[in-house]
Amino acid sequence: MTTKAQKMGMDDLEAKVLEGMKRANRKLVETAAANNESLIIGEKDGSFKAVPAKELLKTLPAK
């Protein structure tokens, strides 16, 4: 059984992990864009495609 304090702690941890993943994703795309590279993106239907990182950078939310 989890207590309310444990639940809040897990929520904080989840928020921190998600924020870290967003930052890492942005850094990956920014680095690839600076080097004129493409990244492989998975589609919802299971297929994948190469997309120029500069195009992906335009779709990311502001910092």
Side-chain angles (χ1 to χ4, degrees):
M1 180 164 64
T2 60
T3 66
K4 190 173 183 178
Q6 287 174 325
K7 174 77 170 122
M8 288 176 59
M10 290 300 291
D11 289 343
D12 290 341
L13 176 62
E14 178 183 2
K16 289 178 182 180
V17 169
L18 289 174
E19 180 62 28
M21 291 174 66
K22 288 178 187 177
R23 289 181 184 184
N25 188 47
R26 174 169 281 283
K27 185 175 180 180
L28 172 72
V29 175
E30 287 175 345
T31 301
N35 293 320
N36 292 319
E37 297 175 341
S38 293
L39 295 170
I40 306 300
I41 303 301
E43 298 289 341
K44 290 181 180 181
D45 65 1
S47 63
F48 57 91
K49 64 181 178 179
V51 178
K54 288 181 181 179
E55 293 299 316
L56 285 176
L57 196 55
K58 294 176 187 176
T59 67
L60 293 180
K63 286 185 179 180

